[in-house]
Amino acid sequence: MVFPRCPECAPLGPDLTHLEIRHLSSHVLSLRAIFEASPSLHTLTIYKLGRRFVQEPGFRSIVANSLHTLNVTIGYDENDHERKFFSGETCGCPLTYLVTPNLINLAVKLRFGFFCLSKHFRKLPKLEKLKISGLNLDRRDVRWIQKLSTLTHIELVRTDHTGLWDNYKAGSSSDPWRNLTSVTMSSLCGRAEMVKAICRSYTQSPRTITFNIVGRKQEDLEELQSELPNAVFNFIAPETDPFICHDIPHTDYEDIDLWSEGSEDDSSDAETNP
């Protein structure tokens, strides 16, 4: 189901498994209403998480056991008040209330401003695919990502990921990338650190790792290939980037990088265009 704005107006129900919302108010009650009405929701896409920040009196988690895929675009960090909520300890964003123990795919896009992954998402013990766009990863985010022990795919679009690879503790018996099989990135910042981390991980757990590189010079790619001879490389032109969704029917909404999961019940979901 594709719905333009508030979830309260959408015909939610216990059999709904896939929901796309063009614009969701940053009110915790809006997000809570979705999962209370649709406890079987499997995939949720929010193309614009709006600018209303209201904390719910008395913390009460939104438990979404059925959710496997979450795609969200974070928007509107226009003043200090909103910046405080999006990156501060007392964030009123509804994502901080969300408990998703069975989440497998997570895509987060930041239009501009500040956003801290580790403060907005709790433990994700089953997360396999992480896609982030437009974020600057701080130390808290790096530690949070490296603790995702089930991670197999990571996509870093317009994201400075230098510290992500360099923060690995030498001599540690735990390899944060031991299950990683696919890396997609649009920047080679921190390439030296990444190569060291991948080589170390490959030595401990031999496997094939696929790199999808978006819009780089051929000489850069050839050098990376020589540094990682056991990897598989796919070179992607920006205008043909297959990881960007271009099928949103209305131009008022920016594209979000999506994880999507095909399932037998996809065809059973009704679709309502705005």
Side-chain angles (χ1 to χ4, degrees), residues 4 7 15 42 51 93 96 111 136-137 139 146 216 220 262:
D15 297 326
H42 184 277
R51 65 170 75 185
C93 175
T96 61
R111 288 185 171 183
N136 288 321
L137 302 176
R139 292 181 180 178
Q146 290 188 350
R216 301 303 304 176
D220 293 336

Side-chain angles (χ1 to χ4, degrees), residues 98-266:
L98 194 59
V99 178
T100 56
N102 296 308
L103 195 69
I104 297 174
N105 310 304
L106 173 63
V108 180
K109 178 177 180 179
L110 180 64
R111 288 185 171 183
F112 53 87
F114 301 90
F115 188 80
C116 181
L117 285 169
S118 60
K119 287 185 179 180
H120 290 81
F121 297 100
R122 302 188 187 188
K123 294 181 180 179
L124 303 177
K126 297 183 179 180
L127 194 73
E128 297 178 4
K129 299 180 181 180
L130 175 64
K131 187 192 304 283
I132 51 181
S133 175
L135 275 71
N136 288 321
L137 302 176
D138 63 14
R139 292 181 180 178
R140 295 165 297 180
D141 289 338
V142 166
R143 289 194 296 268
W144 180 80
I145 293 173
Q146 290 188 350
K147 290 179 181 179
L148 299 173
S149 60
T150 56
L151 197 65
T152 61
H153 292 64
I154 188 168
E155 298 196 14
L156 306 160
V157 181
R158 296 182 294 279
T159 295
D160 184 349
H161 50 88
T162 305
L164 183 62
W165 316 100
D166 193 35
N167 208 35
Y168 177 70
K169 294 181 179 179
S172 174
S173 60
S174 178
D175 173 19
W177 315 116
R178 57 188 174 276
N179 292 313
L180 196 64
T181 59
S182 178
V183 179
T184 298
M185 53 189 175
S186 60
S187 168
L188 295 181
C189 58
R191 186 182 70 186
E193 292 80 5
M194 182 190 69
V195 168
K196 290 179 182 178
I198 295 299
C199 289
R200 181 168 50 230
S201 179
Y202 179 80
T203 299
Q204 295 184 17
S205 304
R207 63 200 184 278
T208 299
I209 300 179
T210 300
F211 286 84
N212 304 296
I213 312 296
V214 182
R216 301 303 304 176
K217 295 180 180 179
Q218 187 62 34
E219 53 265 31
D220 293 336
L221 301 177
E222 291 174 353
E223 186 172 352
L224 186 58
Q225 281 182 301
S226 67
E227 294 171 333
L228 295 170
N230 295 316
V232 175
F233 287 87
N234 296 317
F235 306 133
I236 304 168
E239 64 272 13
T240 59
D241 182 358
F243 302 99
I244 306 297
C245 177
H246 296 290
D247 58 356
I248 302 174
H250 205 286
T251 56
D252 286 348
Y253 306 94
E254 289 189 6
D255 297 338
I256 181 176
D257 303 339
L258 298 177
W259 288 123
S260 60
E261 287 188 285
S263 62
E264 294 179 357
D265 57 2
D266 283 356

